[in-house]
Amino acid sequence: MNLSKRVLKELYYNMVLIRDFEDMVDKYAKKGYIPGFIHLSTGQEACQAGVMLTLKETDYKFPDHRSHGVCLLSGTPKERVLAEIFAKKTGISGGRGGSMHILDIKCRNMGFNAIQGANMVTCLGTAFASQYNNTQDVTAVFCGDGTIGRGEVHEGMNIAAKWKLPIIYVLVNNEYAISTRVESVHSYPKNLSDRAWGYCIPNEVIDGNDVIAVYKASAKAVKRARDGEGPTVLELLTYRWQGMFSGDPAAYRPKDEVKIWKEKRCPIKRLREKMISDKIFSAEEVDELNKQSLEEIEGMLKYAIESPEPEPQDALKYIYAGKEVEGR
Amino acid sequence: MNLSKRVLKELYYNMVLIRDFEDMVDKYAKKGYIPGFIHLSTGQEACQAGVMLTLKETDYKFPDHRSHGVCLLSGTPKERVLAEIFAKKTGISGGRGGSMHILDIKCRNMGFNAIQGANMVTCLGTAFASQYNNTQDVTAVFCGDGTIGRGEVHEGMNIAAKWKLPIIYVLVNNEYAISTRVESVHSYPKNLSDRAWGYCIPNEVIDGNDVIAVYKASAKAVKRARDGEGPTVLELLTYRWQGMFSGDPAAYRPKDEVKIWKEKRCPIKRLREKMISDKIFSAEEVDELNKQSLEEIEGMLKYAIESPEPEPQDALKYIYAGKEVEGR
Amino acid sequence: MRKLSFGRAINEALDQEMGRDDKVFVIGEDVAQMGGDFGVTQGLWKKYGEKRVKNTPLSEAAILGIANGAAMAGLRPVAEIMFADFITECYDQLVNNSAKVHFMFNGTVTCPLVVRTVNGAGFHAAYHHSQTPEAWFLNVPGLYMVAPSTPYEAKGLLIASIRNDNPVIFLEHKLLYDMEGEVSEEPYTVEIGKAKVKKEGKDATIITSQRMVYLALEVAEELSKEGIQLEVIDLRTLFPFDKDTIFDSIAKTGRVILINEAPKTGNYVNEISQTINEEMFEFLKAPIKRITGLDTPTAFAPKLENYYLPGKKDIIEEVKEIVEY
Amino acid sequence: MRKLSFGRAINEALDQEMGRDDKVFVIGEDVAQMGGDFGVTQGLWKKYGEKRVKNTPLSEAAILGIANGAAMAGLRPVAEIMFADFITECYDQLVNNSAKVHFMFNGTVTCPLVVRTVNGAGFHAAYHHSQTPEAWFLNVPGLYMVAPSTPYEAKGLLIASIRNDNPVIFLEHKLLYDMEGEVSEEPYTVEIGKAKVKKEGKDATIITSQRMVYLALEVAEELSKEGIQLEVIDLRTLFPFDKDTIFDSIAKTGRVILINEAPKTGNYVNEISQTINEEMFEFLKAPIKRITGLDTPTAFAPKLENYYLPGKKDIIEEVKEIVEY
Ligand SMILES: Cc1ncc(C[n+]2csc(CCOP(=O)(O)OP(=O)(O)O)c2C)c(N)n1
Ligand SMILES: Cc1ncc(C[n+]2csc(CCOP(=O)(O)OP(=O)(O)O)c2C)c(N)n1
Ligand SMILES: [Mg+2]
Ligand SMILES: [Mg+2]
């Protein structure tokens, strides 16, 4: 299967947009614009861009904590994603959630639940609803290698398989949880996702920095799910360039490891070079995309910075359906 | 490996004892001597007798809810096991726990935790302590097919394998949880325990009604664990003759299914016939063992019936170490 | 009126709601063919089929995960957790997910699910089958909690809970299942958040719920012979609880006894007490008393378990103390 | 005396206890090489090695399972749960296992473990990284709960907790980690179950803990200028709490304000209130007031989060109200 020029362009643009977004967020976090802590997905753009382009707006998405890109590409007004991170009233969640909790039911971004692993059972529910209502919507759930330690992964995969639920597990294996390398705390055959065999779920291990490979594998998994054939695990091998969070010195990992990934395995550089050498795009066309991305980021940033903060009393809204809560 | 006459005799006697014990408990439960509900292991005697004979008193045992036999064979004064079930003060847990909570630290019976699955992580702790203290004690944990649904199974196996903990998983697959057949709610390759592969834990699927096979497999697993080679999963295929609990009509399963297991696959009859046809024991010798068992049961029963009930205030004891609790 | 048991009343509520709204489905361990460990869902699988009556493996976190996900996607799950003691295994889904969904989505999504579970001591089932989780969930904004004491209220409150857009923990006391009572055949609701005065009196107010309502009524009956007139309030909804009914009673009696079978320290009723203290202090003629289970796990032996539970004697003593205060 | 931060004081307690007793070990996510998400266990792995400083995968239930099993087998685990919000994932192990072990074994086994966890709002980390679980564990007989507010007390209470034979939930407020204070170098204990009067006063008693102690002290300082003398009690141990110190104070002031940053409904302090009500009613000159977080999840935006948290103004208002009552 050869990808169309349009698809390649979108994949490329989306990766660049995520990269630029994360760089900007990192910068503004360090400048003090962003409260709390921020998990950046720099280096992992292909995982998010590749999978997201295979999904429809009506498909359910469960991003994980390192998934700004998923939120950006889900159909939400992008500036409202950033406004959320900036703790603004115009944020897609009203500034209540921030970087870890960007939700938008309109495009079925079901949000990240900051209790790692919890989404691995919640995702059964949306997939079940699609099955129940006989729609063809699939549910894509993002999950890191570290999170695989949690019991919900097991409860979830067993039921997903048994009920043939339309789920795509996007296992983003970036080699580390926080400080622990994947093989130092998990016992598994060759690949972490090989455990899927125990539930009769097919798994595929993919170079997560090869966006074309990710896209193709995801498209296949999505088709399986839509066709009622049940869940698939996609294990995407990748790496986070940053530490656990913006500002983490990440002393727990060797410097050259990071260097290799940055210099030799950048997903964006890789696609760029391929598109140019395959003569699908000229270098100028590609540069133009990069420029566009920065412009789009500028727009978001302006919106986020200029947006007002929430009013204190906004905290009292929507605790209960149909019941008020007392303020001060 | 041929088993010695002594071992065969013990295996046989222990199975008979469990059978007689369960029959007696069933009878006295129905007569109203036993409060609460009772899970009987009739038909599964080989699983308990086979494994228990391979363990030492210093090995940790985590029986499950259908494990009167494990408790009987762990080294506890047997009459105090029954007294516990009868809710008596002399019960090994003072009448606080009953059938589901028979514990005795002296012989390292760590008890059943009636929250199914919980023991699958607690067992890591005793195994870890053995490793920490550099003793050769192993931990044997009993777990039903239904309980495999719980998340702790996954968290536990991953860590047990990674840390090479000395654990024997005794997966008693009796085909049903309560009303649900194992394959109706679990998705797995050929055998439920095949999932162990995903954690690099060896598993063995054994006819759980063949006590000799159980004994041999367990001995091997125990040796592996003692030698520091890590955990093993033994999947014992068996069947409970009774319903979920004493008195359960078990309308959810076909009558002839029960009949086949009772008539064709009784673990006791099977060993008896083998011992006699192999000319290791005469029929009279075997009958004598059966008689002895009934006598032993008589003794326990007398003790349990004649023992006093606890005093109400006993409920206040041992809530906190070194701190009293208010009574009425 | 026709009589039904508490268990059958709940069954009828489920049946009628499933009939009315095809977004309602039932999920849990053994709820399908077998009809649940206590038989409450019997017949539903046959009538509504595999699709709407879902057996699960022993996976409490997943049961609530499915319920949460499905509720967010617009369905109306009724999940059964076989014993309230096992709710510890899906505590995270309830506390960090169900309770917060509406907040997380900034009001654009609700989480209309019901968790039916079986609580209470007196069944000789020991400490892992006898607990009452009320207080475990009270300091968690976002959850409703309902606990009926009669078949009539069980049916009406369950229907109201299913129709409510908030996640509701619905407590069924295991010793009440066989109790019979009059229940209307047609579907009806009992309003969530409304307590009921089960007996009027002027000397002191007993506030309680579930099985303890009957103990309170017995005591009230007995003490009325001695000239002490107790008012007995059945909370019915534990959260949001009915301040008006409680305050009206206290304005009249000035004396309060709270009864609950969970352990004393950190008991649910502390919230009722503190609320009364804050808003009705000037009416109080005596300290607010609580009569609860002991600060121990629930032991198996009936002698021990009975001692754990609040008894008539305990209540009578306290009533006399505050009436004479 | 030498000064240490709250975090370093805890680190020193761990270090000294590991040095004293080789049954003590540390377990949790990232506690080894990295020294914990908040750096509290730094240096221990290097000093005591892989065997006694155990990294786990993200498996909270297993962390507590290991702690429980190891404690039953005679070790003394100190488990770290990275944020108190995640304790929901090992709630079962704590409620149904740790708390009940001593009871289950009829007194022949204890469960001497410590669960260190990080609670509290004010970090702009939203609703899954800001909660305080006190009330979730109070209606569970068998557990101790400790919550220090100063580096000195943190070290002494942690050492006491490790040496205690009960399972102890040890709460560390994330905004206190960097606070500095005098800490003795040698190992010492602060007695579990003893509160401390942090400021004496005669007009009203504030009872609180952790970070709110500082807010209370600020208010007390401010109001003393207006002639109102507040007594401020730092509970330090949340269970078993120190009735004597509380009652002595109330005998003097007759007025009580309880401050806690968890949501209002079902708040931990209700237990303190009800206990005072039961045993000190005749001394009360005004209703017992509580000042708490709002009945909402903790929102991310600082404006919202600040509104959620109790503030000086709220306290001053209530103090004035009860002092004039
Ligand atoms: C239940 C739970 N345990 C621990 C944490 C703290 N935590 C947040 S992210 C993380 C590491 C996750 O690793 P992984 O799943 O590999 O994702 P990555 O950060 O590498 O993208 C941890 C331990 C949490 N949020 N929830
Ligand atoms: C966490 C939890 N969920 C549900 C139950 C109720 N329950 C007790 S035993 C059981 C079935 C267990 O099946 P299995 O593990 O196969 O053991 P068996 O009864 O067949 O021996 C169930 C559902 C429980 N005790 N704990
Ligand atoms: Mg990772
Ligand atoms: Mg079974």
Side-chain angles (χ1 to χ4, degrees):
Chain A
M1 169 174 72
N2 268 330
L3 302 189
S4 70
K5 189 167 172 177
R6 186 193 56 78
V7 167
L8 285 174
K9 184 173 153 184
E10 280 204 58
L11 288 173
Y12 182 78
Y13 184 78
N14 290 345
M15 287 201 291
V16 170
L17 189 76
I18 298 172
R19 172 76 50 93
D20 291 341
F21 187 86
E22 297 294 52
D23 285 348
M24 173 268 292
V25 164
D26 190 27
K27 184 167 127 197
Y28 279 82
K30 284 169 182 151
K31 278 189 183 185
Y33 279 74
I34 300 177
F37 44 89
I38 300 287
H39 307 99
L40 300 167
S41 60
T42 321
Q44 305 183 174
E45 297 85 356
C47 305
Q48 305 184 24
V51 171
M52 287 305 287
L53 203 60
T54 67
L55 299 176
K56 296 193 297 188
E57 196 158 306
T58 53
D59 292 328
Y60 293 98
K61 299 105 193 164
F62 287 89
D64 77 359
H65 60 294
R66 201 175 298 290
S67 292
H68 289 159
V70 172
C71 302
L72 281 179
L73 304 180
S74 62
T76 308
K78 296 190 182 63
E79 66 281 8
R80 295 193 61 194
V81 170
L82 187 62
E84 185 60 37
I85 296 172
F86 273 56
K88 294 302 179 75
K89 190 179 173 79
T90 55
I92 187 69
S93 313
R96 304 166 161 236
S99 163
M100 285 190 288
H101 305 283
I102 296 164
L103 305 92
D104 186 359
I105 193 64
K106 284 222 194 84
C107 54
R108 296 197 168 166
N109 166 3
M110 307 308 283
F112 169 57
N113 180 314
I115 312 296
Q116 298 285 350
N119 272 352
M120 295 299 272
V121 289
T122 316
C123 70
L124 300 171
T126 54
F128 172 73
S130 301
Q131 198 178 62
Y132 190 94
N133 291 326
N134 216 352
T135 71
Q136 252 67 57
D137 303 324
V138 308
T139 291
V141 57
F142 289 76
C143 165
D145 52 289
T147 302
I148 291 294
R150 294 219 27 85
E152 287 96 336
V153 173
H154 166 75
E155 296 196 8
M157 290 201 175
N158 181 40
I159 293 176
K162 191 72 224 169
W163 295 5
K164 279 192 181 292
L165 293 176
I167 294 179
I168 328 296
Y169 293 100
V170 185
L171 166 46
V172 181
N173 184 345
N174 62 8
E175 302 190 3
Y176 288 85
I178 296 184
S179 69
T180 47
R181 282 193 61 83
V182 55
E183 74 282 0
S184 75
V185 289
H186 297 287
S187 178
Y188 52 88
K190 184 159 180 293
N191 298 292
L192 189 55
S193 63
D194 290 344
R195 289 181 183 163
W197 174 81
Y199 308 98
C200 311
I201 301 180
N203 68 310
E204 205 173 329
V205 183
I206 298 143
D207 180 342
N209 285 11
D210 177 353
V211 73
I212 294 176
V214 173
Y215 176 84
K216 286 182 176 171
S218 179
K220 209 169 71 185
V222 168
K223 182 169 183 325
R224 266 197 90 229
R226 282 206 215 291
D227 290 351
E229 289 169 45
T232 305
V233 179
L234 303 178
E235 180 175 353
L236 310 181
L237 305 176
T238 186
Y239 195 81
R240 56 166 157 80
W241 289 10
Q242 292 266 359
M244 173 66 194
F245 49 87
S246 166
D248 171 16
Y252 44 79
R253 60 186 193 182
K255 287 251 157 21
D256 4 328
E257 188 180 274
V258 188
K259 211 171 144 210
I260 290 172
W261 282 92
K262 281 193 183 176
E263 291 176 5
K264 304 239 151 74
R265 303 183 191 164
C266 171
I268 296 177
K269 204 176 349 168
R270 182 163 170 177
L271 182 60
R272 181 191 163 94
E273 281 166 10
K274 184 183 160 53
M275 292 195 312
I276 296 174
S277 71
D278 284 3
K279 306 221 165 22
I280 307 172
F281 290 85
S282 69
E284 293 68 36
E285 280 175 305
V286 177
D287 290 340
E288 178 57 29
L289 291 174
N290 284 60
K291 212 177 116 226
Q292 268 177 33
S293 163
L294 286 174
E295 279 164 19
E296 198 173 356
I297 297 282
E298 260 331 293
M300 295 181 215
L301 191 54
K302 187 166 174 328
Y303 179 85
I305 289 177
E306 290 175 2
S307 281
E309 287 183 77
E311 308 298 320
Q313 276 80 356
D314 290 348
L316 303 174
K317 282 196 213 150
Y318 314 127
I319 316 300
Y320 299 95
K323 180 177 122 45
E324 298 293 300
V325 159
E326 248 176 66
R328 304 210 175 272
Chain B
M1 170 175 72
N2 268 329
L3 302 189
S4 72
K5 188 166 173 179
R6 186 191 57 76
V7 168
L8 286 173
K9 186 172 150 183
E10 282 203 57
L11 288 174
Y12 182 77
Y13 184 79
N14 289 346
M15 286 200 293
V16 170
L17 190 76
I18 298 173
R19 171 76 51 93
D20 291 341
F21 187 87
E22 298 293 53
D23 285 347
M24 175 267 293
V25 164
D26 190 26
K27 185 166 125 196
Y28 278 83
K30 283 170 182 153
K31 278 190 184 183
Y33 278 73
I34 301 175
F37 43 89
I38 301 286
H39 307 99
L40 300 167
S41 60
T42 321
Q44 303 183 177
E45 297 84 357
C47 306
Q48 305 185 23
V51 171
M52 288 304 285
L53 203 60
T54 67
L55 298 176
K56 295 194 297 185
E57 196 157 307
T58 53
D59 291 330
Y60 293 98
K61 298 105 195 163
F62 286 89
D64 77 359
H65 60 295
R66 200 175 299 289
S67 293
H68 289 159
V70 172
C71 302
L72 280 178
L73 303 180
S74 62
T76 310
K78 296 189 182 64
E79 65 281 8
R80 297 192 61 194
V81 170
L82 187 62
E84 185 60 36
I85 296 172
F86 272 59
K88 294 303 179 76
K89 189 180 173 77
T90 54
I92 188 67
S93 312
R96 300 163 165 239
S99 164
M100 283 190 289
H101 304 284
I102 297 164
L103 305 93
D104 186 359
I105 192 65
K106 284 222 194 83
C107 54
R108 296 196 166 165
N109 166 2
M110 307 308 285
F112 171 56
N113 181 313
I115 312 297
Q116 299 285 351
N119 272 351
M120 296 298 274
V121 290
T122 317
C123 70
L124 300 171
T126 55
F128 172 72
S130 301
Q131 197 178 63
Y132 190 94
N133 292 326
N134 215 352
T135 71
Q136 252 67 57
D137 303 324
V138 308
T139 290
V141 58
F142 289 76
C143 165
D145 52 289
T147 302
I148 291 295
R150 294 222 24 86
E152 287 96 337
V153 173
H154 166 75
E155 297 196 8
M157 290 202 176
N158 181 39
I159 293 176
K162 191 71 222 170
W163 295 6
K164 279 192 181 292
L165 293 176
I167 294 180
I168 329 295
Y169 292 100
V170 185
L171 165 46
V172 181
N173 184 344
N174 62 9
E175 301 190 2
Y176 288 86
I178 296 184
S179 68
T180 46
R181 281 193 62 84
V182 55
E183 74 282 359
S184 75
V185 288
H186 297 288
S187 177
Y188 51 89
K190 182 159 181 292
N191 298 292
L192 189 54
S193 62
D194 290 344
R195 289 179 183 165
W197 174 81
Y199 308 97
C200 312
I201 301 179
N203 70 309
E204 206 173 327
V205 183
I206 299 142
D207 180 340
N209 285 10
D210 176 353
V211 73
I212 295 176
V214 173
Y215 175 83
K216 286 182 176 172
S218 180
K220 209 169 73 185
V222 168
K223 182 167 183 328
R224 267 195 88 231
R226 281 206 216 291
D227 290 350
E229 288 169 45
T232 305
V233 179
L234 303 177
E235 179 176 351
L236 310 182
L237 304 176
T238 186
Y239 195 81
R240 57 166 156 80
W241 289 10
Q242 292 266 359
M244 174 63 193
F245 49 87
S246 165
D248 171 16
Y252 44 78
R253 60 185 193 182
K255 286 249 159 20
D256 5 328
E257 189 179 275
V258 188
K259 208 168 146 217
I260 289 173
W261 282 92
K262 281 194 185 176
E263 290 176 5
K264 302 238 151 75
R265 301 182 191 163
C266 171
I268 296 178
K269 205 178 345 170
R270 180 161 170 178
L271 181 60
R272 183 190 161 93
E273 281 166 11
K274 183 182 160 51
M275 291 197 311
I276 295 174
S277 72
D278 284 3
K279 305 222 168 17
I280 305 172
F281 290 84
S282 68
E284 293 70 35
E285 281 175 305
V286 177
D287 289 341
E288 178 56 30
L289 292 175
N290 284 60
K291 209 175 120 230
Q292 270 175 35
S293 162
L294 286 174
E295 280 163 19
E296 199 175 353
I297 298 282
E298 260 330 294
M300 294 181 216
L301 191 53
K302 186 164 173 338
Y303 179 86
I305 289 178
E306 290 175 2
S307 282
E309 288 184 75
E311 307 300 319
Q313 276 80 357
D314 290 347
L316 303 173
K317 282 196 212 150
Y318 314 126
I319 315 301
Y320 298 95
K323 182 177 121 48
E324 298 294 299
V325 159
E326 249 178 64
R328 304 213 175 269
Chain C
M1 216 193 293
R2 173 195 61 149
K3 285 200 167 189
L4 276 189
S5 73
F6 195 94
R8 301 316 299 162
I10 292 173
N11 180 272
E12 190 167 276
L14 291 169
D15 185 3
Q16 292 178 344
E17 284 303 286
M18 291 182 81
R20 183 188 62 81
D21 180 355
D22 62 15
K23 295 207 167 336
V24 177
F25 71 97
V26 164
I27 185 167
E29 292 159 19
D30 303 289
V31 295
Q33 294 86 335
M34 187 190 180
D37 203 34
F38 286 87
V40 173
T41 59
Q42 270 169 16
L44 300 176
W45 177 76
K46 220 164 180 178
K47 185 157 171 189
Y48 298 103
E50 193 98 348
K51 177 185 159 191
R52 296 181 64 196
V53 183
K54 302 295 291 182
N55 263 354
T56 69
L58 277 91
S59 304
E60 281 76 11
I63 293 172
L64 260 292
I66 295 166
N68 279 324
M72 293 181 210
L75 302 184
R76 303 190 85 88
V78 182
E80 176 172 312
I81 297 296
M82 200 179 284
F83 282 80
D85 312 70
F86 315 158
I87 216 166
T88 53
E89 292 285 17
C90 48
Y91 192 67
D92 176 64
Q93 282 291 324
L94 281 160
V95 167
N96 285 322
N97 220 351
S98 318
K100 297 177 171 61
V101 160
H102 193 50
F103 184 91
M104 284 171 160
F105 278 94
N106 208 12
T108 58
V109 173
T110 57
C111 191
L113 62 86
V114 178
V115 183
R116 295 181 38 246
T117 192
V118 180
N119 75 297
F123 203 61
H124 321 314
Y127 34 78
H128 286 156
H129 287 81
S130 306
Q131 296 169 93
T132 292
E134 301 168 3
W136 306 346
F137 290 106
L138 197 64
N139 198 218
V140 182
L143 299 174
Y144 273 24
M145 200 159 18
V146 168
S149 71
T150 68
Y152 181 87
E153 290 160 327
K155 178 175 169 184
L157 279 165
L158 183 53
I159 292 182
S161 298
I162 293 171
R163 296 182 189 176
N164 192 286
D165 279 339
N166 293 288
V168 181
I169 297 177
F170 191 90
L171 299 176
E172 303 171 8
H173 196 295
K174 53 177 83 68
L175 291 195
L176 293 180
Y177 273 136
D178 290 335
M179 133 167 299
E180 303 253 323
E182 297 191 336
V183 177
S184 319
E185 269 174 67
E186 75 286 0
Y188 60 91
T189 59
V190 168
E191 194 181 343
I192 291 180
K194 290 280 174 259
K196 189 168 167 86
V197 176
K198 291 274 163 100
K199 183 188 164 302
E200 292 194 21
K202 60 175 186 22
D203 296 322
T205 305
I206 294 188
I207 303 172
T208 186
S209 56
Q210 290 192 301
R211 190 158 92 93
M212 290 294 134
V213 171
Y214 299 97
L215 196 66
L217 288 172
E218 267 183 61
V219 168
E221 174 80 18
E222 222 168 291
L223 286 180
S224 76
K225 291 177 204 145
E226 301 184 30
I228 300 174
Q229 300 303 331
L230 293 176
E231 180 138 314
V232 177
I233 297 180
D234 181 351
L235 285 165
R236 308 199 300 189
T237 297
L238 301 178
F239 187 84
F241 58 89
D242 181 356
K243 282 194 199 182
D244 292 342
T245 301
I246 294 172
F247 290 177
D248 285 351
S249 181
I250 292 168
K252 183 167 67 172
T253 65
R255 295 181 163 89
V256 190
I257 287 193
L258 306 166
I259 310 180
N260 186 285
E261 67 167 78
K264 176 178 166 187
T265 302
N267 191 290
Y268 164 82
V269 298
N270 291 349
E271 175 63 29
I272 308 284
S273 168
Q274 175 58 12
T275 303
I276 294 170
N277 170 312
E278 278 165 3
E279 305 191 36
M280 296 292 286
F281 187 73
E282 70 265 37
F283 291 93
L284 288 179
K285 299 179 194 148
I288 302 170
K289 293 290 187 155
R290 63 183 155 176
I291 302 170
T292 64
L294 297 173
D295 276 334
T296 73
T298 318
F300 162 62
K303 275 258 170 94
L304 302 173
E305 191 182 29
N306 287 341
Y307 183 64
Y308 165 84
L309 280 168
K312 257 203 256 182
K313 200 173 124 277
D314 310 308
I315 305 174
I316 292 173
E317 267 172 34
E318 292 287 9
V319 168
K320 292 202 170 159
E321 197 182 314
I322 62 163
V323 167
E324 285 156 22
Y325 189 88
Chain D
M1 216 193 292
R2 174 196 58 148
K3 286 200 167 188
L4 276 189
S5 73
F6 194 94
R8 300 317 298 161
I10 292 173
N11 180 271
E12 191 167 276
L14 291 170
D15 185 3
Q16 292 179 343
E17 283 303 286
M18 291 183 81
R20 183 188 62 80
D21 181 354
D22 62 14
K23 296 208 167 334
V24 178
F25 72 97
V26 164
I27 185 167
E29 292 159 19
D30 302 290
V31 295
Q33 294 86 332
M34 187 191 180
D37 204 35
F38 287 88
V40 172
T41 59
Q42 269 167 16
L44 300 176
W45 177 76
K46 225 171 175 167
K47 186 159 170 189
Y48 298 104
E50 194 98 348
K51 177 184 158 190
R52 297 181 64 196
V53 184
K54 303 295 290 182
N55 263 354
T56 69
L58 277 90
S59 304
E60 282 76 12
I63 293 172
L64 259 290
I66 295 166
N68 279 324
M72 293 181 211
L75 301 184
R76 304 190 83 88
V78 182
E80 176 172 312
I81 297 296
M82 199 179 284
F83 281 81
D85 313 70
F86 315 159
I87 216 165
T88 53
E89 292 285 15
C90 48
Y91 191 68
D92 176 63
Q93 282 290 324
L94 281 161
V95 167
N96 285 322
N97 219 350
S98 317
K100 296 178 173 61
V101 160
H102 193 48
F103 184 91
M104 284 172 160
F105 278 95
N106 206 12
T108 58
V109 173
T110 56
C111 192
L113 63 86
V114 179
V115 184
R116 295 180 38 247
T117 192
V118 180
N119 75 296
F123 203 62
H124 322 314
Y127 35 78
H128 286 157
H129 288 79
S130 305
Q131 296 170 93
T132 292
E134 302 169 1
W136 304 347
F137 289 107
L138 197 64
N139 198 219
V140 182
L143 299 174
Y144 274 24
M145 202 159 16
V146 168
S149 70
T150 68
Y152 180 87
E153 290 160 327
K155 178 174 168 185
L157 280 167
L158 182 53
I159 292 182
S161 298
I162 292 172
R163 296 183 190 175
N164 192 286
D165 279 340
N166 293 289
V168 181
I169 297 176
F170 191 91
L171 299 176
E172 303 170 8
H173 196 294
K174 53 178 83 68
L175 291 195
L176 294 179
Y177 273 136
D178 291 335
M179 134 167 300
E180 302 253 323
E182 297 192 335
V183 177
S184 319
E185 270 173 65
E186 75 287 359
Y188 60 90
T189 59
V190 168
E191 195 181 342
I192 290 180
K194 290 277 173 260
K196 190 169 167 85
V197 176
K198 292 274 164 97
K199 183 188 164 301
E200 293 194 20
K202 59 172 184 28
D203 296 322
T205 305
I206 294 189
I207 303 173
T208 187
S209 56
Q210 292 192 301
R211 190 158 92 94
M212 289 295 134
V213 171
Y214 300 97
L215 196 66
L217 288 171
E218 267 183 60
V219 168
E221 174 81 19
E222 223 169 291
L223 286 181
S224 75
K225 291 176 202 145
E226 302 185 28
I228 299 175
Q229 300 303 330
L230 292 177
E231 180 138 312
V232 176
I233 297 180
D234 181 351
L235 285 165
R236 309 200 299 190
T237 298
L238 300 179
F239 187 86
F241 58 89
D242 182 354
K243 282 193 197 181
D244 292 342
T245 302
I246 294 171
F247 290 178
D248 285 351
S249 181
I250 291 168
K252 184 167 67 173
T253 64
R255 296 181 162 89
V256 191
I257 288 194
L258 307 167
I259 309 179
N260 186 287
E261 66 167 78
K264 176 177 167 189
T265 302
N267 191 291
Y268 164 82
V269 298
N270 291 349
E271 174 63 28
I272 308 283
S273 168
Q274 175 58 11
T275 303
I276 295 171
N277 171 311
E278 277 165 2
E279 305 190 37
M280 297 291 288
F281 187 72
E282 70 265 35
F283 292 93
L284 290 179
K285 300 180 193 147
I288 302 170
K289 293 290 187 154
R290 62 183 158 177
I291 302 169
T292 65
L294 297 174
D295 277 334
T296 73
T298 319
F300 162 64
K303 274 259 171 94
L304 302 173
E305 190 181 29
N306 287 340
Y307 183 65
Y308 165 84
L309 280 168
K312 258 202 257 183
K313 199 174 124 278
D314 310 308
I315 304 174
I316 292 172
E317 267 173 33
E318 292 287 7
V319 168
K320 293 201 169 158
E321 195 182 316
I322 61 162
V323 166
E324 287 158 20
Y325 189 88

